[in-house]
Amino acid sequence: MSNEKNAKTDKNRKEHKKRNTVLKVLLIAFLLFVFISVGTVGGILFGVIKDSPEINPSHDINTLSENSKIFDTDGTLIEEILTEEKRTIVKLEEMSPFVQEAFIAVEDERFRSHSGIDLRGIARAIVVDIKTRSLDEGASTITQQLVRNLYLSKDKVFTRKITEMYLAMKMEREISKDDILEAYLNTIYLGQGAYGVEAASKTYFNKDAKDLTLAESSLLASITKSPSQYQLFKRIEPENIEDDNVNVVGTIEVIGKQYVAVFNENILNRQKTILSLMKEQGKITKEEYTDALSEDVISLINPGQMKNQNIKTSYFTDYVKKQVTKDLVSKAGYTKEEAEEALFIGGLKIYSTIDVNMQSKVEDIYNSFTDNVANKSWLRPDYRTSGGNIVDSYGRISYYQKENLLDSEGNLYLSKDSYSIDENGNLTIKSPKIKYTNLDVVDYFTKENGTIYTHITGSLNINKESFTVDKENKSFTIKAEYYKEHSDLYQVKDNALHISKDVFFNDEKGAIQPQSAVTIMDPTTGHLKAIVGGRDDEGQMILNRATSPRQPGSAIKPLSVYTPALDNGFTAASVVDDVPYTNSKGWSPTNYSASVFYGLTPMRKALEHSYNVSAVKFLNKVGINASVDYLAKFGIINKDNPDNDTFEEADKDESPLALGGMTRGISTLKMTAAYNALANQGNYIEPIAYTKIENNKGEVILDNKPKQNTVVSPQVAYIMTDMLETVVKTGSGSRANFPNMSVAGKTGTTNDSADVWFAGYTPYYTAAVWIGNDSPAIKLSESSRIAASFWSQVMKSVHEGLDNKSFKRPEGIVSRQVCIDSGKLPTDLCSKDPRGSRVRTELFVAGTEPRERCDVHVSAKIDTSTGMLANEFCPDDVVKTGVFIKRPTPYYPSKNGGKVPRDYQYQMINKVCDVHTEKSNPIKDFIDDILDKDKDKDKDDDKDKDKEPETPEEKPEEPKDPKPEPKPDPQPKPDPDSNNGSQDKKE
């Protein structure tokens, strides 16, 4: 027993000793883990703090916004992006106390008591982030947010957060809480391009920040969580507004463009949350909370005009800014508000593709616009008027004459029959001078020395709740209370209602007409080199017509018809019959001269002289769907983002695709890029305006590489280029030519010359020019030859000092002689055509050259006495052999209103002589004829014996050829590429 007991005790001792050893090991391991962890964390903290930037808060908050800069291709600074009206700095005492408390309540409840970081807030955020497995819950104090804006990136990483906390505590030790709050409230982004509470107050309420009420202050504070989601209103283009939209709060003019301001209902719950926080934190009373919550938010909003009259930049740099903002969102993952903030205050370095010298030259040409065209008469406006107002083709008023719209002081006036005041004091207005849904005042025009200026007006600045619109949208009524309160703005005098000019926007300077735009591009890189979007315009973010779509007319033909045809088995020698045609919808295209049709026409000639009927027929051979596919390859159609596309479903038809009568149209930017694919051997390059963007630390945040795709082979592109050279050398685009340079391109004219184009290229640059009036109701007095002439002036200046070059001819191009009436190899008959030889040398992509002989030219014997095909009984002396054309598809004038193509007289005669037959005896008839003449002669001799004998009878004329030798086809009138027969442009 004793031995067993001792053995058991020894065993227990060993187990106890073993447990102690394990515990010691675990304790040592734990202590080592703690020491290592602390050391690691300490090392991380030490490293982060060591790498933190040096800060000088007192100085830095005064230079919080670092202007971004735009450089040219040589790295030379060309513009520093200024933001005078994007932010207005005000002192803290110039802000409503409600503003300060609202932002503190929602952003940093313990701002007045913490030392830069809020430990309770951090703990709460950690719990929420663990639960949601994200880093979405914020715990940044106002001080941390200011530090981030000043010194750090927005990346949500652990080390950045440590740096942010460290710098926030350092800032709190160096400057006061009021200084921090003031800097924060002056720089925070609050949507609609407004930075700081003063700019936001002007944008949303049209008042100073010091005058903001509790309700208005809480609304501004509601925006901070997500400016894009919670901004007080959204800007929507008028055409996208439904008539019954009850959230319309007015209109806003943003750098010359009108938008409808629509209240954003997302803000309401957010505002309620902030007011609750303010009440819970003792910043407002229960009564104040109730009163603010009960206010009609929509009636508070009074959009201000977002204009900047102190900044002048070029169209090119304005386009760069828009592209940078767009790409920061789509390519770098920024939100829209972050992108705008980076552009305006982020200190970005933007390296553009602009050629400053070229841009300057083109701008100089536009500044002397009327001196740079061969014929200035086309500047005379061509428009219809009714009562002095400009009207469209339907008789609708497009522009009022100024005197018919405004009084001598610039106030809108309405005649006595256009308004009434009822017994309750309500003012009802029924006038065509105001569009009722959004109370838009119609635009007007002025005329000075024969030049037209068009002027944009805005909407009446009336709160949505202060007026009503009748159900039929024929009138609107301003409520008595509002009318009485603003009676000084709506005055009745001289039997008219005068609405003050302070109530609506009026562009008194106006825009000169006609207008123009040009875009120039480098063929091989896709770099945009120069952009001008209008004449005599100035300011920032002005209307850029270079990016605004207009109907292209015949300038679309090489892209939608002829390049697709060349790429699908047709050649420059392929022939269609230019004769009357009517499609299944009853639509019939016509050429420039509606009564003229050209008959058998090769593709090269159809393009050279811009025949419309031929273009439609080639399109039908290619197919509508194929044409649309090629336009997508050319960048005209954006299949990836159809919402941003100007090509509409209705444009998938013959008239838009063959003649350019598109619903909206194409911009010079897109047109230039599309033609550039032909200049670049069939390879489309997306046009880019900048190559890279660096942040304020010199780090590249966007390396802009253009997208590319193959449209056609280099061989097809070369054939198309050669055809477009013909257009310039001898066709409709001859005025685009300039000395010592190869030029290829195409004209375009829309109905009634509302838009004229020339798009083309040299071996150095591609460019598209548009000329027209901002409203299609005002026409040009001439057609696209003026665009070709102006293009020549621009490009001649651009090419100064450059050597002449020819377009590079790739391998795989062959030349063959062809008959231009059949497109096939010629026979002997092709050179014996009564119009002269029909044989020409044509270029082909190897493998597409013709193999068959011409079957259009035929010979036949003609009885010249009857003009019909000779039969076996026709006398030999009246039979001649002639050469004719035999149409592949017969054409019958009787089925087409008697219309005949120009080559109809040369086609094969179908009727056989029915005068000479087997029963007739030509010898007997000949002898009888002689005997009859002798008898008559004897009788005459008896009567006139004493008279002098007559002169010998003249020798009969030789029988004439079956058809007289015609004059060569006359050259068509200048610019025959008007899209006659195309659909009208939508109003």
Side-chain angles (χ1 to χ4, degrees):
M1 287 288 294
S2 178
N3 290 335
E4 290 180 1
K5 185 176 182 179
N6 290 335
K8 188 174 182 180
T9 300
D10 290 340
K11 183 178 180 181
N12 289 336
R13 286 174 181 169
K14 289 180 180 179
E15 289 178 354
H16 181 69
K17 185 177 180 180
K18 186 177 181 181
R19 282 197 298 268
N20 287 341
T21 301
V22 172
L23 288 173
K24 288 177 181 179
V25 171
L26 290 174
L27 179 60
I28 291 171
F30 175 73
L31 291 173
L32 285 172
F33 173 76
V34 171
F35 290 142
I36 292 172
S37 298
V38 171
T40 301
V41 172
I44 293 174
L45 290 173
F46 177 78
V48 170
I49 292 172
K50 181 182 178 183
D51 293 336
S52 297
E54 292 293 328
I55 66 173
N56 184 0
S58 298
H59 171 269
D60 295 340
I61 63 171
N62 292 321
T63 57
L64 180 61
S65 62
E66 182 181 352
N67 294 330
S68 295
K69 299 175 177 64
I70 300 178
F71 300 87
D72 67 7
T73 52
D74 297 325
T76 302
L77 177 66
I78 59 173
E79 183 180 330
E80 189 168 352
I81 301 175
L82 304 177
T83 60
E84 284 91 342
E85 289 192 17
K86 286 283 184 178
R87 175 186 293 106
T88 302
I89 304 297
V90 295
K91 297 292 184 182
L92 197 61
E93 55 267 25
E94 295 174 348
M95 304 177 193
S96 166
F98 290 127
V99 171
Q100 302 175 40
E101 297 303 335
F103 277 88
I104 290 174
V106 69
E107 291 296 315
D108 191 356
E109 175 184 351
R110 287 169 285 278
F111 171 71
R112 297 289 183 186
S113 59
H114 63 61
S115 59
I117 60 174
D118 182 5
L119 296 178
R120 288 170 59 185
I122 292 173
R124 175 186 54 79
I126 290 173
V127 171
V128 173
D129 286 342
I130 290 174
K131 288 181 178 179
T132 59
R133 296 182 181 180
S134 70
L135 294 174
D136 292 336
E137 184 65 19
S140 295
T141 63
I142 285 176
T143 313
Q144 287 176 258
Q145 293 181 51
L146 185 58
V147 162
R148 184 190 313 147
N149 290 337
L150 273 171
Y151 308 113
L152 305 175
S153 70
K154 288 179 167 50
D155 299 332
K156 291 186 176 182
V157 295
F158 179 69
T159 54
R160 190 222 69 187
K161 202 69 177 177
I162 295 174
T163 304
E164 183 183 290
M165 293 178 182
Y166 167 71
L167 294 179
M169 290 187 291
K170 189 173 182 180
M171 177 179 283
E172 290 267 1
R173 291 197 298 269
E174 297 189 21
I175 60 175
S176 69
K177 290 283 188 181
D178 283 351
D179 288 339
I180 294 171
L181 183 61
E182 180 181 294
Y184 171 77
L185 292 176
N186 272 314
T187 58
I188 188 170
Y189 181 64
L190 295 170
Q192 295 295 340
Y195 291 86
V197 295
E198 178 70 11
S201 181
K202 289 288 183 65
T203 297
Y204 294 116
F205 307 114
N206 204 16
K207 61 166 58 175
D208 293 329
K210 63 184 176 60
D211 298 324
L212 291 174
T213 65
L214 172 59
E216 293 165 341
S217 299
S218 60
L219 286 169
L220 286 190
S222 301
I223 300 173
T224 58
K225 185 174 183 179
S226 174
S228 61
Q229 183 178 355
Y230 292 110
Q231 55 191 337
L232 300 193
F233 61 75
K234 297 181 178 180
R235 298 196 305 257
I236 300 178
E237 294 185 354
E239 59 267 25
N240 296 327
I241 293 292
E242 297 179 0
D243 292 341
D244 58 351
N245 192 318
V246 297
N247 287 332
V248 173
V249 293
T251 60
I252 185 168
E253 189 261 331
V254 184
I255 318 302
K257 186 171 183 178
Q258 293 289 320
Y259 294 91
V260 178
V262 178
F263 174 64
N264 180 13
E265 294 180 337
N266 293 337
I267 199 75
L268 294 176
N269 288 334
R270 182 71 177 160
Q271 183 205 24
K272 183 176 181 180
T273 298
I274 292 174
L275 288 172
S276 296
L277 289 172
M278 294 179 74
K279 179 170 67 72
E280 293 170 5
Q281 295 171 20
K283 300 179 186 300
I284 59 174
T285 65
K286 185 177 181 179
E287 290 73 21
E288 288 175 318
Y289 166 79
T290 303
D291 290 343
L293 203 58
S294 63
E295 284 201 52
D296 181 7
V297 172
I298 292 181
S299 66
L300 296 176
I301 299 175
N302 182 18
Q305 300 303 326
M306 300 174 65
K307 296 178 291 182
N308 189 333
Q309 299 174 347
N310 301 320
I311 300 175
K312 181 177 180 180
T313 59
S314 76
Y315 283 100
F316 195 105
T317 53
D318 279 348
Y319 178 71
V320 169
K321 296 168 200 172
K322 290 181 179 179
Q323 289 302 111
V324 166
T325 304
K326 175 185 173 183
D327 291 349
L328 286 175
V329 174
S330 62
K331 298 179 181 179
Y334 285 55
T335 63
K336 184 178 180 181
E337 54 269 20
E338 287 173 345
E340 291 180 348
E341 182 178 348
L343 176 65
F344 288 106
I345 65 171
L348 301 179
K349 293 181 180 179
I350 304 162
Y351 295 89
S352 74
T353 61
I354 187 173
D355 183 321
V356 174
N357 182 50
M358 185 186 298
Q359 179 75 24
S360 178
K361 284 183 176 181
V362 178
E363 287 180 356
D364 286 344
I365 290 174
Y366 268 82
N367 290 336
S368 303
F369 192 67
T370 56
D371 296 330
N372 287 287
V373 290
N375 182 3
K376 303 178 185 62
S377 64
W378 61 271
L379 288 170
R380 293 194 300 268
D382 182 11
Y383 57 91
R384 294 196 303 160
T385 61
S386 177
N389 306 315
I390 295 176
V391 296
D392 62 17
S393 57
Y394 299 99
R396 298 173 299 197
I397 296 176
S398 296
Y399 292 99
Y400 267 81
Q401 188 177 27
K402 182 180 180 180
E403 293 74 15
N404 291 343
L405 185 72
L406 307 176
D407 62 23
S408 59
E409 297 177 357
N411 303 313
L412 173 67
Y413 75 90
L414 307 176
S415 60
K416 187 175 181 179
D417 59 354
S418 298
Y419 71 94
S420 62
I421 303 173
D422 65 21
E423 65 278 6
N424 296 319
N426 298 305
L427 172 63
T428 298
I429 295 176
K430 183 179 181 180
S431 171
K433 296 180 180 181
I434 302 175
K435 301 173 185 177
Y436 304 120
T437 305
N438 302 309
L439 305 194
D440 292 330
V441 180
V442 298
D443 298 332
Y444 66 95
F445 79 97
T446 56
K447 194 172 182 180
E448 183 178 339
N449 297 324
T451 299
I452 288 286
Y453 293 84
T454 55
H455 304 259
I456 296 174
T457 56
S459 300
L460 299 183
N461 193 4
I462 306 176
N463 293 333
K464 182 71 174 179
E465 300 302 313
S466 299
F467 72 92
T468 59
V469 179
D470 80 323
K471 294 181 180 180
E472 297 182 356
N473 285 329
K474 293 183 177 180
S475 67
F476 70 98
T477 299
I478 299 175
K479 295 179 180 178
E481 182 180 356
Y482 183 90
Y483 173 51
K484 182 178 180 181
E485 183 180 350
H486 299 85
S487 58
D488 59 323
L489 301 177
Y490 300 84
Q491 295 185 3
V492 177
K493 56 183 179 181
D494 301 327
N495 289 322
L497 175 66
H498 295 255
I499 302 177
S500 172
K501 59 185 177 183
D502 296 330
V503 177
F504 61 95
F505 170 75
N506 176 13
D507 174 22
E508 296 183 14
K509 179 180 181 293
I512 192 172
Q513 305 297 334
Q515 276 293 336
S516 178
V518 63
T519 302
I520 304 177
M521 182 176 177
D522 184 294
T524 58
T525 64
H527 291 181
L528 295 169
K529 309 309 294 182
I531 297 174
V532 175
R535 297 176 57 203
D536 293 351
D537 283 340
E538 58 185 27
Q540 187 186 42
M541 299 299 181
I542 42 188
L543 173 62
N544 190 344
R545 296 168 184 84
T547 59
S548 302
R550 294 293 295 240
Q551 284 193 330
S554 291
I556 194 71
K557 291 175 181 176
L559 310 175
S560 59
V561 177
Y562 295 117
T563 298
L566 289 176
D567 202 38
N568 283 274
F570 297 92
T571 71
S574 295
V575 173
V576 293
D577 200 356
D578 193 298
V579 293
Y581 159 78
T582 301
N583 68 10
S584 59
K585 300 175 184 178
W587 175 72
S588 299
T590 60
N591 291 311
Y592 180 70
S593 296
S595 61
V596 176
F597 296 88
Y598 297 96
L600 297 176
T601 304
M603 185 189 294
R604 181 180 290 272
K605 187 174 183 180
L607 177 61
E608 177 184 0
H609 298 298
S610 202
Y611 297 160
N612 288 337
V613 177
S614 296
V616 173
K617 293 200 168 189
F618 273 114
L619 172 68
N620 286 328
K621 290 178 178 292
V622 171
I624 297 293
N625 292 335
S627 176
V628 170
D629 288 341
Y630 278 89
L631 288 183
K633 293 179 183 180
F634 276 119
I636 299 298
I637 299 175
N638 188 348
K639 289 187 174 182
D640 295 332
N641 192 0
D643 292 339
N644 292 333
D645 204 354
T646 59
F647 189 88
E648 300 188 3
E649 189 65 27
D651 295 332
K652 297 178 181 179
D653 205 351
E654 289 169 305
S655 169
L657 292 173
L659 310 182
M662 299 170 68
T663 306
R664 296 173 63 188
I666 306 172
S667 66
T668 64
L669 178 68
K670 281 193 172 184
M671 187 71 82
T672 300
Y675 271 76
N676 195 73
L678 299 173
N680 191 35
Q681 298 186 306
N683 185 38
Y684 173 83
I685 307 180
E686 179 187 31
I688 60 172
Y690 70 92
T691 55
K692 67 177 179 179
I693 303 173
E694 295 178 353
N695 61 20
N696 57 4
K697 298 176 183 177
E699 301 167 338
V700 176
I701 57 177
L702 266 183
D703 190 7
N704 197 20
K705 301 292 185 184
K707 296 178 181 178
Q708 301 188 37
N709 63 267
T710 299
V711 181
V712 292
S713 69
Q715 290 76 22
V716 169
Y718 181 79
I719 299 293
M720 190 72 247
T721 296
D722 190 71
M723 291 170 63
L724 291 173
E725 281 193 274
T726 304
V727 173
V728 174
K729 289 176 181 177
T730 57
S732 61
S734 59
R735 291 199 176 193
N737 221 337
F738 59 95
N740 303 317
M741 190 57 60
S742 299
V743 177
K746 182 68 183 74
T747 52
T749 306
T750 61
N751 281 346
D752 300 323
S753 299
D755 306 273
V756 297
W757 289 78
F758 188 84
Y761 47 96
T762 70
Y764 291 99
Y765 297 109
T766 306
V769 162
W770 164 85
I771 300 175
N773 293 282
D774 286 338
S775 169
I778 308 176
K779 315 297 183 183
L780 298 171
S781 60
E782 294 191 29
S783 299
S784 60
R785 60 181 182 178
I786 60 174
S789 177
F790 190 66
W791 188 94
S792 175
Q793 292 291 330
V794 170
M795 295 297 271
K796 182 179 178 181
S797 174
V798 165
H799 286 74
E800 285 180 358
L802 297 177
D803 295 331
N804 186 17
K805 281 173 40 175
S806 299
F807 294 106
K808 183 179 179 181
R809 177 168 172 164
E811 295 182 358
I813 300 294
V814 298
S815 61
R816 294 287 186 274
Q817 284 196 324
V818 296
C819 170
I820 62 175
D821 293 314
S822 66
K824 299 178 181 180
L825 297 174
T827 65
D828 291 341
L829 297 178
C830 299
S831 59
K832 297 177 181 178
D833 189 291
R835 294 165 289 180
S837 175
R838 308 297 282 175
V839 179
R840 301 288 187 274
T841 299
E842 187 55 89
L843 297 180
F844 299 89
V845 177
T848 67
E849 63 270 28
R851 308 289 182 182
E852 299 176 345
R853 292 287 176 179
C854 172
D855 54 1
V856 168
H857 283 100
V858 296
S859 63
K861 292 183 177 181
I862 302 297
D863 184 328
T864 58
S865 66
T866 64
M868 293 180 281
L869 290 173
N871 62 36
E872 59 183 309
F873 303 107
C874 293
D876 292 340
D877 59 346
V878 297
V879 175
K880 285 279 187 179
T881 299
V883 175
F884 304 90
I885 58 173
K886 184 177 181 181
R887 312 186 100 82
T889 301
Y891 174 73
Y892 304 101
S894 60
K895 296 181 180 180
N896 293 279
K899 297 175 183 177
V900 296
R902 283 188 170 180
D903 63 357
Y904 186 74
Q905 60 181 311
Y906 307 111
Q907 75 176 29
M908 183 68 180
I909 298 169
N910 294 321
K911 190 173 182 180
V912 178
C913 176
D914 56 3
V915 174
H916 300 101
T917 63
E918 183 178 9
K919 295 180 180 180
S920 64
N921 189 332
I923 297 176
K924 181 178 180 301
D925 291 342
F926 178 73
I927 294 173
D928 289 344
D929 185 54
I930 293 175
L931 292 175
D932 289 340
K933 288 181 179 180
D934 287 341
K935 289 178 181 178
D936 291 338
K937 186 173 183 301
D938 290 341
K939 291 178 181 179
D940 290 338
D941 288 343
D942 291 338
K943 292 179 181 179
D944 301 316
K945 291 178 183 178
D946 299 330
K947 291 185 180 179
E948 296 248 341
E950 292 182 347
T951 57
E953 187 173 329
E954 292 185 2
K955 186 177 180 180
E957 293 182 0
E958 289 290 326
K960 295 181 181 180
D961 288 338
K963 295 297 176 184
E965 187 71 14
K967 296 179 181 179
D969 283 356
Q971 288 292 321
K973 296 180 181 179
D975 186 46
D977 59 359
S978 174
N979 60 346
N980 292 337
S982 70
Q983 63 187 26
D984 287 334
K985 186 174 183 179
K986 290 185 179 180
E987 295 297 326

